[in-house]
Structure formats: structure tokens, C-alpha cells
Amino acid sequence: MREMEAVIGLEIHIELQTGTKIFCGCSTAFGAAPNTQVCPVCLGLPGHKPVLNQKAVEYHTRAALALNCEIVPYTTFDRKNYFYADLPKGYQISQYFHPMGVNGHVDVNLNGETRRIGIRQIHLEEDTGKLLHPGEITDSPYSLVDFNRAGVPLVEIVTQPDVRNAEEARLFLQKLRSIIRYVGVSDCKMEEGSMRCDANVSVRPSDSVEFGQKTELKNMNSFRAVARGIEYEIARQTELVRGGEPVVPETRHWDEARGITRVMRTKYLATDYRCFPDPNVPPLECDPEWVARIRQSLPEPPDARYARLVHDHGLPAYDAEVITASRAMADFYEQTVDLFNEPKTVSNWLMGEVSRCLNAAGKELEETALAPQQLAGLLQLVQKGVISGKIAKEVFEDVFQTGRDPETIVKEKGLVQIADEDELGAVVDRVITANPKVAEDFRGGKERALGFLVGQVMKETRGKANPQLVNELLRQRLRN
Amino acid sequence: MPNDVRIGRLHELLRSGETTAEEIVAAVLDRVTSLEATLNTFITLTPERALAEARAVDQRIAHGEEIDPLAGIPVALADNICTEALRTTCASRMLGDFIPPFSAVVYHRLRQAGSVLIGKTNLDEFGMGTAGVPVFGPVPNPWDPTCLSGGPGWAPAAVVAVRQTALSIASDAGGALRRFAACCGVVGLKPTYGLVPTHGLIEFAPSLDHLGPLTLDVTGCALALQAIAGADAQDGFSTGTAGEAYTGYLGRGVRGRRIGVPREYLPPETHPGVRKAFEKSLDLLVDLGAEVEETSLPHTPYAPAAHLVLTSAEAFSNLSNFDGVRFGHRAEARHLHEMYRRTRHEGFSPEVRRRIVFGTLVLSGDHFEDYFVKAQKVRTLVRRDFEQAFKRYDLLAAPTVPVPATAASGNGGPPEMRPEDLPLLPANLAGIPALSLPVGFAGGLPVGLQLMGPPFGEGVLFSAGYALEQQTGFYRTTPPITGTEG
Amino acid sequence: MGDRISSAEMARAAEAARLEIAAAEKEDFLEAINGLFAFVRRQWETLNTEAVTPTAYVRNLKSVCRPDVPRASLPRETALANAPDAADGCFRVPKIIENQ
Ligand SMILES: [Mg+2]
Ligand SMILES: [Zn+2]
């Protein structure tokens, strides 16, 4: 049997985090009551005129540059004409004829190997409204339309058919999300729909250069769903082709609950959008100097940062990858290291305590009040022996919850480490007296018995004892 | 009832206290009442509101406030211009009782200036200039009430001709405003594309649609333009500075002005009476010191087809928001798809649907290059013709419509196919300003002279129009239907 | 360029524009639309535009933008006031089912 391979192209829509919509002054905030963020423009009422949001253009340019695209000097906003209940004007305004960014790429790390996924184009367009219906769309006697989302600026990113499997698709999306978040133009939340991915999937014998018949995959609402959907579709198509059956070119829905893809029949898909330049929106001419300024204002891309953290900071590859996956985390890391120059310690804390608290709170780093000064301050307290590492975790929990300064917390709670030999010596003596059997075991050569005694001292001092000193004192006393 | 509703004169009477805004508004409302049964010019009237607004202006005058030239001046808006909280129909079943939640920039500016809205005028469905059965009935020509060849389209000009208002605002996507100004014997201006923001105009072809004033005289036209011109932040294609003093051009005359007469604008169908009135006005211009010369705009014959293709394509897209979801008519249907089709079948007249289907076809894959793109190229050629001509001439002159109103061919097709519309369409394609003013009669019906200028050349048009008007005094002539009192 | 529009082609276009053409008006529509095509072809018969750049916008305006500053949205009652059918603060549309 011939080996089969999959050919996958992705189309990603990402909502830009501007304050207002692309062609009107309505808010783009997520989660408002239905139809409370609408106006004649985004409702497509007769007589309305769209006026382009400068920030949407700027954000789009940032995204295009971050994806290594060339910026096209002249673009138009074109009407893509079709009818659907969530589309207010009967057309979507999009950069159809001259997408603003072309020929970009994203590098993905797959099992230690770098795979380059080409970006065919990135263009700016407007989002549609949202359909709500009781039950399944086709069973529901009616649908409700909320136009709050209509007109939110979107970038559409179209890859070359360079992706070969589901895992690659997932890694690409995660990398893309990281890059877009780096340049600060979107939060890319798949679960809130601010990042959405469709996939064009086909299979062919791996020695073939022709493309197989493709299907379009929709409704994958998480990274996991994208991977599962593509995997399912590859398997389905492979089976069809092997069985000598044709692949029908169609749009298929990923059914998360049943774990299958299904033919989607709700949209009256237009085959010809009859596009032409929107006579209401003047064309866009990108001033090269302006583009250069945007380019200069971009942060260091995650790949370069990763390399720097490995080479200059001496971080292990794994640490560098985790830290640079989010710009907020990487920024936080670097700012902390500026104040407390022990990269690996800082990295350990970020990947350990900080991540644990974030997960527990269900928050992103940038959504908390936590500041690098606080973490650095805490680590300095440990370094100076003011508190123990164990106490530090307790203090951090408090800092994370309340946003208060670690030193204040330590003082207020009386958590300063007991490093006074006399004070600690008294406790050590009490513990030895209270545990004669264990003390005997240690003297008899049972090294592990010491751990128990250290634990008892810590318990008595409520963790405040300097562990090194406790160790020293115990050994000294038990030698005698 | 005063027949002399020139804006400038009314303003003087208001300032001197010889009359009040309330008296002016009451008088035009009387004229509305007495003629509405015959003329059917209005779809919606706002008499109480108008009187209240007029009294407010009178109070400002009584307090010694300096008032704007348009304060207290009665105005009518074509019913495809959005007026907040006031029904706007586009004379289409499709819009039914649509109440816009916002006002057009042009109406907002007129209100700011203190003018008083009398009502919304009848028009061809969506201002498309199509034949067929008008939803709100036809409007007869005020000069010959047996003549219905304008459909309801000339209502915005008729209301000025019969003194139901002093100012009227209408759209011009294919010459309608100028055509009806000429046929009704009033002054009408299609300004430079974008000079008057079209935000709030329910357009069918945004790249060709314009808004402009209709008045009794050229001075009134300049005063009106002064109030409504200039870029607005809500309209991306609007241009020009607001408040430019166009009246400053009025007395400048035409001495030394070079005027070209494009021969393509005088087709063989030109009515002898129209030709005579036109030539007489050229003689007058020469007497006043202008140089007149025949010229050629060679791509003119290709303009109607380009106009037809482009307006239809834009109409297909621009009228897609009429889908029965958010506003307007909705038909009973079992599901969404059927709802779209029924709604749009019931809401649009056959003429509108035909234009939309044609527009859909010229944008389709197979025809896109041959029709839509080619029309865009013809547009380039037409525009270039004008650019060339304006290197040589300050102005171009032609009869606005080569035949009088009664001779208009009502062939049922789109206006682009009527030979008499040929001289109207190029100015829309090129976005240049064009002024029509009455210069005489042919067979008892008014004849219009069309003056065209380079982009933002409105001032030169006003200079020439005003100079001519001083000679003809046409504004003193009233249609017989108006009566002779006043 | 040159062929007549077929009845099927017209039907496809009408469908794309979500327009119904009643059986009784089909003939007239087809005649009228082919009349428009013939009119355009006749007028352009001798015109060569190969070297001409198309004009999409008549004014030479570029990059007209507004700042990213919020403006008040419509009150929901106003937004829904013209709706032929509304429920739960939304526009209501009939059942969405598969094509035909
Ligand atoms: Mg898209
Ligand atoms: Zn809006």
C-alpha cells in the first residue's frame, strides 16, 4: 500500500484589541448584553458611512510585520458580497484584491526540528454578528442575532499548504498565538472566539506532487479541537482514498462531543463573491516611514528572545521555551533578573510557584497585580537569609493574593528567620531531649534520622528556623 | 403669498423685520395645502414642527441675534435623506415605515443654520430614475400638469418651482437633480463629488451619488452650498473646507472666461426650441465678455453604458442590506432563505430588481472584466476628457437636457438608455460640479443651461450663472399653476 | 463578450442577489437584461481600453482614518425599533435551514 500524507492549509481569524470597531466608534468589549454595542454603521442601516479606524490599521501592520510579511504599499477595502443573517450589510468589507501583508512565515519547533510554515497573506476585515438559537441551528424554529461583534476588526491569516499533520497544526497555532500576543494586538482567546481557526485538509500519496481533493474544516474551538479535528479528517479521507472512494469537496463541522466531522449545511455558501472596491472607503497607502516606525516599535520576537535566554542567561532550553511562550512572562522574567541576577532561580520560581498560583486563579500574568519588584524582593530576602525558601512560598501566596510588599508581609507576620544560635540552640536541645530514640538512631549511623529532627525544629519554630543552622546545631549537639 | 422665495431676499426681509419666519413658513404651508392634491410632491409633511422651529428663529431675531442666511428659510428634503425620528421611505415599499435613528450630515447642517424643514419630497424609488408605477404616485410637471414623464422624480425641483419651499435638497447619481431642475425651471447644483457629505443619504451607487441644492436663483444656491459643503468626519470621501464663502464669487462676471461647448452634448435629437434658448444664452455670455468655442469630449458616447454598468453593480451590493432582518419590509416565510427572496421580491419594484440582477451579472466571474472593469476604464477616459478640456476652458456649457419635459422618451428602460440623458451622466462619472439654471422656454416648457467646471470649481459656475441670471431674471417667472398673486 | 445571457444564468444571478423572479415576469426580465447587455456592447463596440487603468474612486483621497475613540452606541430600544421581529434584545430571523 502506498504511503499517504496530508496537506493542510490553515485560515486563522484573530480579533484585534482596538477600543472601537473597524468602521465605527462602538466598543469592542467582550460579553456585553446583546445589541448594546451597535450603531447605524455596524448594523448596516441605510445611509450609514464607514470610516476606517487608524488603530486597526496599525495593529494589523504590527501583526503582519511580526509574521515576517512584506507590507504592500497600496491596498483597497473591497466588498465581499453574500447573504447571511449575521452579516448586516449583505457584504463584508475585506482587503480582497490587495491583502496588506504577503509572503511571511512562522518557524515551528517539532521534535527538535525547525519547520517553516509559509504565510501566504494577512489582511484586515470586519467580523460578523453572532447567531444564537435554542438547540441545533437547523432544528431551531428561529435564530436570534446579536450584532455586538459585527464590525470588530479582524485579521485573517492564510498559510501556505505547508502543514503536514495535526500536531504541527497545533504547534503552529500556539506559536502564532504567542507571536500575536507578543506584539500586543490581540489576546487570542480561542474559547472567547477572539482567535478562530479553519483548516483545509487533503491527503495524497506521499510521492505525489498533485493535491488531493480538499475539505474545509470549521468549528474547532480550542487548540485540542484543531488537532483532533484534523486528525479525524486525515483518517477519514485516507480511508476513503484507500477504498477508492472520492473525497467530496465540502465544508465539514467538527463535532466536539462526538469526536467526528460532519457535513455542514447551514450556510448558503457563495461560490462567487462578486468583489469590488468599496466606494465608501478610500484606499490605503502605507507610508514606508510609518511602517519603519511600526517595525522599530515591535518587541523582540519570541524566537530571538529564546535564543538569547539560552545563550546569554544560560537557561535550559525547556525553561527558555516556557518563559518566552508569552511576552508577559518573558518581560516579567527579564525585569526580575535585572533586579535579582540569578536566572535559573527566577525561572524556577516563574515555572513553579508563579505558574501554580496563576493556574489556581485562572488568570494570565498580565491580569494580576504581581510586579517583578515583588518577586525580586522576595528572592533577595531568601538570599540574605531573612526568610527560608519554605516561608518564601507562603509569603509569595500572600503577595499574589493581596499585591502587598513581601518585606512588609514578613515583618507583619513575624516570619523573619531565626538565625540566632542561642535561640535556635535552645529549641534544638528541647527536640533532642524529647526524641531520645531518634537521636540514638542518628548517633548509631542512621543519617536519615536527622531529617526527622530538623522537621521537628522547623515545626516548633513554625518554619522560621534557618535550616542550615538547624542542621549545623543538631550535628554539633549529637556529636557530643 | 409671496412668489419671490429667493433665499437672499427672504433673509433680508427677516433681518429688517418686514416679515417673520413664521409668516414665511405659514405661507409656504398654504401653498403646500392648495397644490398638494394636484402635485403630490410630498411624502411626509411636518407643518407643526416647521411652525415651531420658525417661531424659535423669530425669537432669536427678536433678541437681536445675528442670524445665519438660512435661518427661518423653509427647506424640503428628498425622502432618501435620513431624518432622525422622522419616517424616511426612499419611495420604496421596502422601507415602509423606517424611522432612521440618525440624521444625514446635510440635514444636521441645515438645522444648525436654522432652516426649517417643511417635509420630505417624493422621488423615484431609491432615486434611480426608473419608470414604472410609483409607490407614492406620480408628480406632474408644474408647467404642464398633464405631463407625467418625470414620474415622481421631479418633486424636489417642483416644490421650489411652485414655491412650496425656498430650498430643496436632492440626490444626483445620474443627473436627476439637474434634469428636474431644468424641466421645472429652477436652479440646481450637483457639487464636486464629496464636497457635500452624503452620509445619511440612502444611496444606490455611492461612487456616483451626490447631494445638492435646488433654489429659485443662483444666489440662493450659493448660500445653500455655503451651509452644507465641507468634509465631515463621519464620511470618508467627503472633502473641502466647511463654510467657504461661495457668495463671494457671485459678482465676478464672466469677462475673459473661456467657455467650451462640447459638440457631443448637442445630439441630433436636440429640440430646436432648446437649441435656440441655449444659443441665446451663449450669445448673452459673449456679450458679457466670455469667449465661447466649440470643443469635443470624445469619450462622451461611451459614458451611458459605463454609468449603467457601474450604478447597477453598486446597486446590487448597496441594496443588499435590505434583507428584512434589521429594518424595513419583511415578508412571511418559512425559513431565512425564503424570507430574503420574498422580502426583496415584494419590497423592490421590478425596475429596481432588474437593475440589481444586471448588476449581479456584470460583477460575476464571466463578465467582470468585460463589463465592470471596462466600465471603470471608460470612467478613466471620461475623466481624462474633462481634465484635457479644463486645461483650455474655465467652463463647459451645454443644454442640461436636449429636449423639453414633454418630449422625454418614456421607454420604460433605465435612464441611461434615453438619449436625452447623455449630457447628464459624464459629470457623475467624473465627479465634477455641474450647475443647471433656467434660460428660456421651448414649447412653453423651461429649458436649462448646464455649466460644468473642474473639481471644486463651484465658484466659477456661480459667477457665470449669476451673470446670466441678472440678464434673464428667470426667477420672476412662475408656473401658471402657482397663480399670479404675490 | 457577445453572448446572450441564458435564462439559467439569469436565475443564478437572481439567486445570488436573493431576488425572486416570478414565472410571469421571467420572459420580460430576460429580454430587458439582454437589452441592457446589447446596449452596452453596442456602445463599446469600437472602443479599445486595453491600455487604460480603471478608476474605482473619482476623488484622489487616501488613507482616511479616524482615531480609535469610542462614540456612544444606540440605545438598544432604538437599535431594535425598526426590527420586523425582535426577542430577548436580539433581532429574530426565521429558521435557518439547508439550501432548497
Ligand atoms: Mg475572512
Ligand atoms: Zn457601530
Side-chain angles (χ1 to χ4, degrees):
Chain A
M1 206 183 296
R2 289 164 89 188
E3 277 288 311
M4 300 289 283
E5 74 165 3
V7 177
I8 302 157
L10 301 173
E11 272 179 39
I12 301 100
H13 286 88
I14 295 172
E15 286 185 347
L16 296 177
Q17 259 176 335
T18 51
T20 65
K21 295 185 180 180
I22 181 168
F23 293 118
C24 66
C26 290
S27 165
T28 57
F30 180 79
N35 295 302
T36 51
Q37 290 168 182
V38 294
C39 74
V41 177
C42 54
L43 282 177
L45 296 189
H48 83 273
K49 290 275 179 187
V51 184
L52 186 61
N53 183 344
Q54 165 71 40
K55 191 144 228 163
V57 177
E58 185 192 319
Y59 277 14
H60 178 248
T61 310
R62 289 176 76 85
L65 291 172
L67 298 176
N68 306 298
C69 286
E70 296 159 28
I71 303 296
V72 172
Y74 175 90
T75 72
T76 55
F77 287 89
D78 312 304
R79 292 185 177 185
K80 196 174 158 184
N81 297 283
Y82 69 95
F83 285 84
Y84 201 56
D86 62 9
L87 185 70
K89 299 186 291 290
Y91 57 85
Q92 179 197 33
I93 306 179
S94 177
Q95 293 178 319
Y96 178 82
F97 291 107
H98 313 275
M100 197 170 151
V102 292
N103 297 333
H105 63 263
V106 167
D107 289 333
V108 173
N109 227 321
L110 182 64
N111 307 323
E113 196 196 322
T114 300
R115 291 266 299 122
R116 176 160 287 192
I117 309 295
I119 302 293
R120 180 183 296 165
Q121 68 176 67
I122 171 168
H123 67 259
L124 188 55
E125 60 183 30
E126 54 180 344
D127 209 345
T128 61
K130 233 179 191 162
L131 291 177
L132 315 159
H133 24 76
E136 283 277 301
I137 185 164
T138 45
D139 302 334
S140 174
Y142 59 83
S143 290
L144 299 174
V145 200
D146 169 13
F147 288 104
N148 280 351
R149 203 184 64 181
V152 170
L154 282 182
V155 293
E156 180 177 329
I157 297 159
V158 184
T159 73
Q160 299 288 0
D162 290 346
V163 179
R164 288 289 169 272
N165 58 55
E167 178 60 5
E168 225 170 87
R170 193 182 61 80
L171 288 172
F172 168 80
L173 282 184
Q174 276 172 350
K175 188 63 174 287
L176 180 69
R177 175 180 189 263
S178 155
I179 294 170
I180 297 296
R181 285 166 54 102
Y182 252 72
V183 291
V185 300
S186 176
D187 57 10
C188 296
K189 289 185 175 165
M190 283 192 91
E191 60 290 359
E192 285 182 10
S194 65
M195 178 172 181
R196 308 191 279 271
C197 176
D198 301 337
N200 289 307
V201 180
S202 64
V203 297
R204 66 180 177 194
S206 37
D207 53 358
S208 165
V209 285
E210 315 256 293
F211 290 122
Q213 189 60 259
K214 69 180 181 194
T215 60
E216 194 189 8
L217 219 54
K218 287 185 180 288
N219 196 41
M220 300 172 292
N221 300 324
S222 64
F223 291 109
R224 202 173 102 90
V226 171
R228 287 179 71 204
I230 289 175
E231 207 153 312
Y232 178 89
E233 190 57 18
I234 293 172
R236 190 188 69 87
Q237 289 188 19
T238 305
E239 206 177 297
L240 283 176
V241 173
R242 290 219 163 113
E245 280 180 66
V247 172
V248 182
E250 61 199 356
T251 299
R252 299 179 70 88
H253 236 199
W254 168 246
D255 185 331
E256 178 77 26
R258 290 160 65 188
I260 58 165
T261 67
R262 290 187 295 135
V263 187
M264 184 179 148
R265 294 186 209 259
T266 48
K267 268 208 175 176
Y268 307 108
L269 283 174
T271 45
D272 180 352
Y273 290 107
R274 297 177 172 81
C275 298
F276 69 97
D278 191 324
N280 284 328
V281 188
L284 204 58
E285 218 168 52
C286 278
D287 172 17
E289 272 176 41
W290 180 79
V291 175
R293 272 205 303 280
I294 301 267
R295 194 190 292 276
Q296 232 151 40
S297 75
L298 292 182
E300 182 185 25
D303 284 349
R305 205 162 194 181
Y306 165 87
R308 193 162 52 78
L309 296 199
V310 171
H311 294 121
D312 301 358
H313 290 211
L315 282 190
Y318 177 77
D319 290 40
E321 199 169 320
V322 173
I323 299 261
T324 57
S326 124
R327 182 181 164 199
M329 187 65 91
D331 285 350
F332 195 98
Y333 161 83
E334 296 215 52
Q335 284 162 25
T336 311
V337 169
D338 281 349
L339 301 166
F340 183 79
N341 195 11
E342 278 187 26
K344 182 60 184 153
T345 310
V346 175
S347 159
N348 285 347
W349 267 81
L350 285 174
M351 298 191 336
E353 281 310 293
V354 176
S355 296
R356 193 183 58 72
C357 287
L358 287 173
N359 287 340
K363 280 186 174 171
E364 303 280 352
L365 188 54
E366 56 270 42
E367 292 166 341
T368 69
L370 193 65
Q373 289 73 14
Q374 294 170 323
L375 181 59
L378 187 66
L379 297 180
Q380 272 151 7
L381 290 177
V382 178
Q383 193 184 41
K384 285 189 214 147
V386 178
I387 55 171
S388 67
K390 188 160 182 260
I391 290 292
K393 288 183 184 177
E394 190 186 321
V395 174
F396 178 76
E397 185 93 42
D398 198 330
V399 171
F400 186 84
Q401 300 298 342
T402 63
R404 292 191 306 160
D405 179 51
E407 214 165 334
T408 316
I409 295 169
V410 168
K411 273 192 195 135
E412 216 177 84
K413 291 193 170 172
L415 296 174
V416 176
Q417 187 164 263
I418 304 168
D420 181 275
E421 240 175 81
D422 294 341
E423 195 184 341
L424 213 49
V427 182
V428 165
D429 289 340
R430 271 206 305 281
V431 167
I432 293 173
T433 320
N435 298 283
K437 172 112 192 359
V438 187
E440 222 25 67
D441 285 350
F442 179 76
R443 285 196 183 99
K446 253 190 172 176
E447 191 63 23
R448 273 200 303 152
L450 189 73
F452 175 80
L453 295 172
V454 172
Q456 291 304 110
V457 175
M458 291 314 249
K459 198 173 163 190
E460 278 228 3
T461 57
R462 298 199 335 272
K464 289 188 292 180
N466 179 325
Q468 265 164 310
L469 189 56
V470 174
N471 246 292
E472 242 168 69
L473 290 174
L474 275 169
R475 283 180 191 279
Q476 190 189 67
R477 300 286 207 272
L478 292 170
R479 242 195 333 265
N480 300 339
Chain B
M1 164 73 209
N3 270 332
D4 190 357
V5 295
R6 287 177 298 157
I7 294 171
R9 179 179 163 270
L10 294 179
H11 180 60
E12 281 317 309
L13 293 178
L14 284 172
R15 276 176 39 134
S16 65
E18 274 174 71
T19 188
T20 63
E22 188 175 1
E23 277 168 14
I24 294 172
V25 169
V28 297
L29 286 173
D30 276 351
R31 186 56 62 77
V32 170
T33 314
S34 64
L35 289 179
E36 201 42 24
T38 323
L39 286 179
N40 188 34
T41 39
F42 283 94
I43 289 176
T44 303
L45 283 162
T46 52
E48 289 84 20
R49 181 164 144 180
L51 286 166
E53 285 176 11
R55 281 191 287 270
V57 171
D58 287 333
Q59 274 190 354
R60 283 169 50 204
I61 297 171
H63 285 111
E65 267 181 57
E66 195 57 41
I67 55 159
D68 190 279
L70 290 194
I73 301 299
V75 60
L77 300 176
D79 207 21
N80 55 351
I81 299 169
C82 287
T83 42
E84 186 175 349
L86 181 66
R87 179 176 77 145
T88 301
T89 68
C90 286
S92 176
R93 250 174 235 105
M94 194 50 125
L95 274 168
D97 289 319
F98 176 62
I99 312 286
F102 69 105
S103 285
V105 166
V106 66
Y107 178 44
H108 183 74
R109 289 184 176 171
L110 288 169
R111 278 179 77 102
Q112 291 286 101
S115 57
V116 175
L117 182 71
I118 300 299
K120 308 288 294 288
T121 58
N122 210 336
L123 72 159
D124 291 315
E125 187 174 358
F126 290 104
M128 269 190 203
T130 45
V133 186
V135 175
F136 292 92
V139 175
N141 187 299
W143 292 87
D144 176 4
T146 64
C147 171
L148 297 171
S149 69
W154 48 40
V159 289
V160 176
V162 303
R163 280 66 167 168
Q164 287 178 323
T165 185
L167 170 61
S168 171
I169 307 287
S171 66
D172 186 325
L177 183 153
R178 286 160 285 149
R179 178 189 172 91
F180 298 130
C183 290
C184 294
V186 301
V187 176
L189 172 75
K190 180 197 86 63
T192 304
Y193 182 79
L195 181 59
V196 174
T198 50
H199 164 276
L201 166 66
I202 305 180
E203 300 163 309
F204 73 97
S207 88
L208 294 127
D209 242 313
H210 300 67
L211 275 172
L214 294 127
T215 52
L216 216 48
D217 69 342
V218 174
T219 307
C221 195
L223 286 169
L225 186 66
Q226 217 153 282
I228 61 177
D232 184 273
Q234 296 171 85
D235 186 337
F237 263 114
S238 62
T239 50
T241 33
E244 190 178 340
Y246 290 102
T247 44
Y249 291 93
L250 292 174
R252 294 195 189 174
V254 289
R255 185 156 302 279
R257 290 285 185 208
R258 288 156 306 166
I259 300 176
V261 177
R263 65 176 76 95
E264 294 81 5
Y265 283 58
L266 288 156
E269 297 84 6
T270 307
H271 187 279
V274 172
R275 194 180 288 269
K276 219 174 127 199
F278 173 62
E279 278 163 4
K280 214 178 132 196
S281 62
L282 290 184
D283 290 345
L284 266 177
L285 286 166
V286 171
D287 289 349
L288 291 167
E291 293 164 35
V292 174
E293 188 178 290
E294 190 185 270
T295 186
S296 170
L297 299 172
H299 296 97
T300 306
Y302 310 117
H307 190 274
L308 176 67
V309 168
L310 294 174
T311 51
S312 303
E314 289 186 25
F316 148 69
S317 173
N318 227 57
L319 298 179
S320 288
N321 59 340
F322 293 86
D323 58 5
V325 176
R326 286 143 291 118
F327 58 88
H329 178 69
R330 175 191 286 194
E332 282 299 321
R334 289 161 301 167
H335 55 81
L336 181 71
H337 191 78
E338 187 180 78
M339 191 273 274
Y340 283 148
R341 295 178 40 170
R342 291 259 166 91
T343 297
R344 292 166 61 79
H345 181 81
E346 294 173 6
F348 293 137
S349 68
E351 288 74 19
V352 174
R353 280 186 289 131
R354 272 202 288 271
R355 194 180 271 267
I356 292 175
V357 173
F358 180 65
T360 315
L361 284 164
V362 298
L363 282 170
S364 301
D366 298 346
H367 307 298
F368 185 73
E369 285 293 325
D370 288 346
Y371 292 92
F372 184 76
V373 176
K374 186 150 179 171
Q376 288 186 316
K377 290 177 170 183
V378 172
R379 192 169 195 180
T380 307
L381 296 173
V382 168
R383 201 174 151 190
R384 235 181 253 164
D385 276 0
F386 281 118
E387 280 164 11
Q388 292 302 322
F390 289 124
K391 281 182 189 157
R392 222 181 134 80
Y393 304 106
D394 300 303
L395 288 172
L396 295 169
T400 311
V401 192
V403 295
T406 42
S409 50
N411 66 359
E416 289 92 340
M417 285 171 84
R418 297 187 297 231
E420 68 264 23
D421 277 35
L422 179 82
L424 296 164
L425 305 169
N428 292 84
L429 286 166
I432 58 163
L435 176 77
S436 177
L437 71 153
V439 289
F441 288 94
L445 292 169
V447 171
L449 168 73
Q450 181 177 216
L451 297 172
M452 290 171 284
F456 306 102
E458 279 80 359
V460 186
L461 302 185
F462 288 144
S463 307
Y466 182 80
L468 266 180
E469 190 178 73
Q470 295 309 300
Q471 306 294 314
T472 63
F474 198 94
Y475 54 83
R476 283 189 288 268
T477 324
T478 51
I481 193 173
T482 351
T484 46
E485 83 277 31
Chain C
M1 196 159 169
D3 298 331
R4 273 181 66 85
I5 299 295
S6 70
S7 161
E9 196 177 352
M10 183 178 77
R12 274 199 302 279
E15 171 61 28
R18 298 295 182 269
L19 289 172
E20 222 167 71
I21 303 176
E25 50 184 16
K26 218 163 241 168
E27 277 302 303
D28 280 359
F29 258 64
L30 196 59
E31 251 347 275
I33 280 165
N34 272 306
L36 299 180
F37 272 104
F39 169 74
V40 175
R41 280 197 296 268
R42 213 165 40 241
Q43 216 168 72
W44 292 348
E45 209 165 23
T46 55
L47 177 68
N48 186 334
T49 53
E50 224 155 280
V52 184
T53 26
T55 294
Y57 318 96
V58 77
R59 285 267 72 76
N60 198 27
L61 286 174
K62 293 204 179 89
S63 310
V64 178
C65 289
R66 61 176 181 87
D68 186 30
V69 176
R71 273 178 73 113
S73 294
L74 293 174
R76 183 152 79 183
E77 313 78 69
T78 314
L80 293 171
N82 282 296
D85 189 14
D88 303 331
C90 289
F91 296 87
R92 187 154 68 175
V93 296
K95 192 179 176 75
I96 297 171
I97 62 157
E98 59 186 84
N99 209 350
Q100 262 80 63

